[in-house]
């Protein structure tokens, strides 16, 4: 059996359960804050239901995941502690366990949903399908590698379980992590660049100062998610059992980063505005500003352009 670096598998299972429970608690609070944001003093018809559905799905997936993790931990440490060959360490290393497969399937779905939201935000800001072609192709790569990794988990042999990182299972896990990180960084980079260009063009004529710049909000969320993925990749490269811990922690982190953007934008929406105007000529400048509404649709939303840049829809990129 290949010896892996890091903590024993049973200790890793306990640690991941405790840490994920803490992060899940934060995500629940942020989910409640998100719900309050788009329901407080709002009419039902004004709610952006697609985004509400995404928020609900993230909550359901993270809740299901923590439940499965607790069941998996209970089975390894209590139910099969004395009957499973090799004890708890061997049980938690067995990737063919149904609870292990289910929680990794949920992790894949959560990742796809989170990356899809970032790509859609990118499309809303750029208002061009050409810009998101590469991110969409990379997203498909994430989906393919994620589905294959879950499938090979269920079909793993004893030799592959003992040599997880060097087997075909690891060969699918590595591209899944790498493609997820690349997709998120590319989409966030395109999003941040577009916002920076718009902000630079209107900074000279803005009369109010933003409390929490939207660019910083997006970067904070991207850094948090990227740090978690980067830690997973490092653990994989070192053949470290910490990969199992990070795999469980990323699920609530995806929800937290999603809720973070909406809550922080909503709490400062009175001071945040999106530019919506067409610059015509060297001496004539017109600017129309709309308050940021992360979850609220405006019936009179319109499209406009900034200079020679592509048209930008005056809706929140939190959409």
């Amino acid at each position: 059996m290949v010896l892996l670096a890091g903590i024993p598998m049973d200790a890793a299972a306990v640690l991941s359960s405790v840490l994920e429970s803490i992060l899940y608690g934060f995500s629940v609070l942020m989910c409640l804050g998100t719900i309050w944001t788009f329901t407080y003093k709002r009419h039902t018809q004004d709610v952006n239901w697609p985004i509400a559905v995404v928020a609900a799905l993230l909550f359901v997936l993270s809740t299901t995941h923590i439940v499965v993790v607790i069941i998996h931990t209970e089975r390894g440490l209590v139910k099969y502690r004395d009957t499973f060959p090799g004890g708890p360490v061997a049980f938690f290393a067995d990737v063919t366990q149904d609870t292990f497969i289910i929680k990794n399937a949920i992790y894949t779905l959560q990742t796809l949903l989170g990356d899809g939201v970032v790509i859609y935000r990118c499309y809303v800001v750029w208002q061009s399908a050409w810009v998101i072609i590469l991110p969409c192709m990379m997203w498909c790569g994430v989906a393919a590698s994620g589905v294959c990794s879950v499938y090979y988990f269920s079909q793993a042999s004893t030799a592959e379980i003992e040599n997880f990182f060097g087997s075909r299972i690891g060969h699918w896990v590595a591209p899944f992590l790498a493609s997820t990180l690349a997709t998120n960084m590319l989409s966030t980079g395109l999003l941040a660049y577009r916002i920076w260009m718009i902000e630079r063009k209107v900074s000279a004529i803005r009369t109010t100062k933003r409390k929490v710049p939207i660019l910083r909000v997006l970067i904070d969320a991207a850094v948090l998610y990227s740090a978690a993925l980067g830690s997973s990749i490092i653990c994989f490269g070192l053949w470290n059992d910490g990969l199992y811990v990070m795999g469980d922690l990323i699920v609530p982190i995806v929800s937290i980063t999603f809720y973070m953007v909406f809550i922080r934008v909503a709490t400062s929406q009175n001071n945040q505005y999106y530019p919506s105007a067409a610059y015509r000529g060297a001496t004539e400048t017109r600017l129309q500003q709309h308050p940021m509404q992360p979850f609220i649709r405006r019936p009179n939303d319109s499209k406009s352009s900034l200079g020679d840049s592509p048209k930008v829809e005056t809706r929140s990129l939190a959409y």
Side-chain angles (χ1 to χ4, degrees):
M1 180 177 179
V2 177
L3 296 177
L4 304 177
I7 61 178
M9 289 298 298
D10 52 350
V14 174
L15 181 61
S16 66
S17 299
V18 173
L19 294 180
E20 184 180 359
S21 298
I22 296 173
L23 290 178
Y24 174 75
F26 281 110
S27 70
V28 170
L29 292 176
M30 297 182 73
C31 180
L32 294 176
T34 302
I35 294 174
W36 179 85
T37 297
F38 67 87
T39 58
Y40 182 67
K41 293 183 179 180
R42 305 293 183 185
H43 296 291
T44 304
Q45 61 271 20
D46 293 331
V47 175
N48 184 355
W49 289 108
I51 293 300
V53 170
V54 172
L57 285 176
L58 288 173
F59 173 75
V60 170
L61 288 174
S62 59
T63 300
T64 305
H65 189 271
I66 187 64
V67 171
V68 175
V69 166
I70 293 174
I71 294 174
H72 185 65
T73 304
E74 185 273 337
R75 287 183 177 182
L77 296 179
V78 180
K79 188 174 182 179
Y80 300 121
R81 179 184 59 187
D82 300 322
T83 59
F84 194 88
V89 175
F91 176 87
F92 291 117
D94 185 4
V95 297
T96 62
Q97 293 293 321
D98 55 351
T99 47
F100 185 89
I101 295 172
I102 292 173
K103 73 173 186 173
N104 278 277
I106 295 173
Y107 169 40
T108 301
L109 292 175
Q110 187 89 327
T111 298
L112 293 175
L113 186 59
D115 290 348
V117 169
V118 177
I119 293 174
Y120 180 67
R121 286 173 181 164
C122 188
Y123 168 75
V124 168
V125 171
W126 282 91
Q127 282 297 291
S128 173
W130 292 100
V131 175
I132 64 170
I133 288 179
L134 182 57
C136 286
M137 294 174 62
M138 297 173 67
W139 184 89
C140 292
V142 174
S145 57
V147 170
C148 289
S149 63
V150 173
Y151 171 77
Y152 284 115
F153 281 148
S154 63
Q155 303 297 318
S157 62
T158 303
E160 289 175 330
I161 294 175
E162 294 178 348
N163 187 23
F164 173 84
F165 293 93
S167 65
R168 61 177 178 174
I169 305 175
H171 296 161
W172 283 108
V173 172
F176 173 75
L177 295 173
S179 58
T180 301
L181 180 60
T183 302
N184 185 265
M185 293 185 67
L186 175 61
S187 301
T188 304
L190 290 171
L191 188 60
Y193 174 75
R194 179 61 170 168
I195 298 172
W196 177 73
M197 291 294 293
I198 296 174
E199 289 290 331
R200 190 178 67 170
K201 288 186 177 183
V202 301
S203 59
I205 52 178
R206 180 183 291 121
T207 58
T208 59
K209 185 177 180 181
R210 298 174 185 265
K211 290 183 178 180
V212 184
I214 183 62
L215 184 60
R216 195 181 75 189
V217 174
L218 294 172
I219 291 177
D220 288 347
V223 167
L224 176 60
Y225 186 43
S226 299
L229 288 173
S231 300
S232 298
I233 293 175
I234 292 174
C235 290
F236 184 90
L238 297 176
W239 287 29
N240 193 294
D241 290 341
L243 175 66
Y244 295 93
V245 179
M246 293 307 305
D248 290 339
L249 298 186
I250 288 178
V251 173
I253 287 177
V254 172
S255 299
I256 289 173
T257 56
F258 178 87
Y259 300 139
M260 178 192 302
V261 174
F262 289 107
I263 293 177
R264 293 183 64 181
V265 168
T267 53
S268 58
Q269 64 184 6
N270 291 333
N271 295 81
Q272 294 191 2
Y273 298 89
Y274 271 115
S276 175
Y279 286 86
R280 303 180 184 276
T283 60
E284 181 181 1
T285 302
R286 296 185 303 169
L287 179 64
Q288 179 184 2
Q289 294 182 328
H290 293 278
M292 292 186 59
Q293 299 291 340
F295 281 93
I296 309 304
R297 292 187 181 277
R298 292 292 185 184
N300 60 341
D301 282 347
S302 59
K303 295 182 180 180
S304 60
S305 61
L306 289 173
D308 297 328
S309 61
K311 290 185 177 180
V312 182
E313 192 170 16
T314 58
R315 294 185 298 178
S316 169
L317 36 105
Y319 258 163

